[in-house]
Amino acid sequence: MSHIIPRRIDTVIPVERPVVRIEDDVDHNRFDLFVDDELVGILGYRFGDGDVGENRVVALMHTVVKEEYGDRGWAGVLVRASLNTARDRQWRIVPICTYVRRYLAQHQEFLDLIVE
């Protein structure tokens, strides 16, 4: 009678992480999300007519991610980076985009950026 002894196989499968970058396309008033050099998503913005004190007012208009990249969290990556840029530049925001509004409801650390 032969016995089969289970053997543990330690196989390491390398997983390549995508290279992600967000650029401010000032010519088109949008933030561009690139994944491995492919444009995957955009978040359009528009400068407001009036500023609040020394802060520029920027309306975040729409967030779009290519369908084949949907449901992977890329829109959240794009919105978070855009909000961090707004904070760095001391912008005040008007969240027109419904996705940005939902994101802000779940990430209250950015609520201070909203123009009231």
Side-chain angles (χ1 to χ4, degrees):
M1 173 187 253
S2 70
H3 295 298
I4 299 175
I5 301 172
R7 177 177 98 153
R8 183 175 162 196
I9 301 174
D10 291 325
T11 305
V12 176
I13 301 172
V15 177
E16 291 188 32
R17 291 182 167 217
V19 176
V20 178
R21 77 178 189 283
I22 313 254
E23 295 180 1
D24 184 1
D25 182 348
V26 295
D27 293 333
H28 295 100
N29 288 343
R30 69 185 196 197
F31 293 103
D32 294 338
L33 167 65
F34 291 90
V35 176
D36 290 333
D37 292 324
E38 181 173 350
L39 180 61
V40 168
I42 63 169
L43 192 161
Y45 61 83
R46 182 185 72 204
F47 291 108
D49 296 331
D51 295 335
V52 177
E54 296 181 9
N55 302 102
R56 191 159 206 190
V57 175
V58 179
L60 300 179
M61 303 301 293
H62 57 276
T63 304
V64 179
V65 172
K66 286 184 177 180
E67 188 174 339
E68 61 266 29
Y69 287 88
D71 296 323
R72 297 185 198 176
W74 291 120
V77 169
L78 177 57
V79 170
R80 176 175 284 281
S82 300
L83 293 170
N84 281 326
T85 297
R87 184 178 305 287
D88 292 345
R89 295 179 181 173
Q90 299 182 351
W91 290 353
R92 300 298 303 274
I93 64 163
V94 178
I96 304 295
C97 172
T98 55
Y99 183 87
V100 172
R101 288 182 188 177
R102 286 193 310 268
Y103 187 92
L104 288 167
Q106 295 176 355
H107 298 87
Q108 298 185 1
E109 66 270 23
F110 293 108
L111 293 180
D112 63 306
L113 298 175
I114 298 174
V115 173
E116 297 190 23

